[in-house]
Amino acid sequence: MERKVLLVLLDGLGFDTSVRFCGFMEGLVEAGRARRWKMAAVLPTLSLPCYESLHSGTAPAVHGILTNDHRRLSTSDHVFGVVRAAGGRTGAVAHLNFSELYNAAPYDAFRDHEYDDESRPIQYGRFYDKGYYTKFNLGLLSDRDLFTKATVMMRRFQPNYLLVHSLGTDSVGHAHGGQSAEYQAQAGMVDDNIAFFMEHWLELGYHVFVTADHGMSADGNHGGTTDDVRHVAFYELGHASPGVAPGLADQRAVAPTILHRLGLPIPAAMTVAPLE
Ligand SMILES: [Zn+2]
């Protein structure tokens, strides 16, 4: 496998906040270097159900991860598995929930926190617990360390699919609310950190997507169906038709879109067409 995809997942970053406060990403759209969709997250708009939908291309009612308390291995066909089956390499720098979904559950920090093991579904793993990057009420949370770990992994192992997952926007949103100055500033900070790394990622040959699992309500919650928690931005760097896509995309399109850009077969359970 030659092609490489990076998915940057910004937890809890709603669509309106992305468009208003992520000036670097929006500048790429304006400059003709990226395409941006408005995307509807699956229901419920909770992290674990959305993580599994992003990687399985199916709704929670189908894949069965229905709450943040369903901490078990995925039973679906998913992006990590398809890449591995094709002989590709996989990596993740992410919250431990991803290790439990795709590596082993329950999480064992001394085994799973950091490893390079080609026999595992996620071959190169750097996982963190709540508290590593998510301390509440401590002001803004920098993703410089997280993105550095991902960049080091790219240089060392060239994973064909790499997930990097930031929890800062979700944490600050819960602490201060989705309309707060703190949440907006956190969105600006993660966007600024992406700006610092993006050219490195492109130079390393990565096709880059940036999105969120779900948004955040003004009172600091998510899970329901309102636009503030349901709508997220989905950015694709280097798309042949840059600019703003019309309509409302379906979050179940993310997994088949990643596989399509990697040139891999799309499992039958992924019934939504890749984004064009
Ligand atoms: Zn949350």
Side-chain angles (χ1 to χ4, degrees), residues 21-29 33 191-192 194-196 198-199:
F21 297 98
C22 293
F24 169 69
M25 291 305 304
E26 287 297 311
L28 294 176
V29 176
R33 294 189 56 201
D191 178 69
D192 184 59
I194 292 171
F196 182 83
M198 183 63 83
E199 296 305 326

Side-chain angles (χ1 to χ4, degrees), residues 129-232:
D129 202 341
K130 276 198 161 51
Y132 284 37
Y133 295 98
T134 62
K135 289 194 174 67
F136 284 20
N137 300 318
L138 289 181
L140 301 184
L141 301 157
S142 175
D143 289 296
R144 194 61 67 93
D145 176 68
L146 199 70
F147 291 163
T148 298
K149 284 184 200 297
T151 309
V152 168
M153 186 185 287
M154 289 177 192
R155 292 170 61 98
R156 203 177 280 170
F157 300 111
Q158 303 87 41
N160 299 97
Y161 175 62
L162 174 58
L163 167 71
V164 59
H165 168 230
S166 162
L167 262 174
T169 35
D170 187 73
S171 302
V172 173
H174 283 299
H176 299 284
Q179 296 294 327
S180 64
E182 290 87 349
Y183 178 72
Q184 293 166 354
Q186 182 65 34
M189 175 172 267
V190 73
D191 178 69
D192 184 59
N193 274 313
I194 292 171
F196 182 83
F197 286 91
M198 183 63 83
E199 296 305 326
H200 294 290
W201 296 339
L202 297 174
E203 276 172 22
L204 289 165
Y206 276 85
H207 192 81
V208 181
F209 299 104
V210 180
T211 192
D213 50 351
H214 53 71
M216 185 65 62
S217 70
D219 55 2
N221 284 304
H222 54 85
T225 64
T226 51
D227 288 354
D228 51 0
V229 298
R230 194 152 197 205
H231 291 169
V232 298

Side-chain angles (χ1 to χ4, degrees), residues 57-88:
T58 58
V62 173
H63 62 59
I65 304 288
L66 297 165
T67 97
N68 285 337
D69 296 323
H70 278 163
R71 296 174 61 169
R72 61 164 171 80
L73 280 170
S74 168
T75 56
S76 302
D77 288 328
H78 53 73
V79 171
F80 292 103
V82 175
V83 173
R84 290 284 288 116

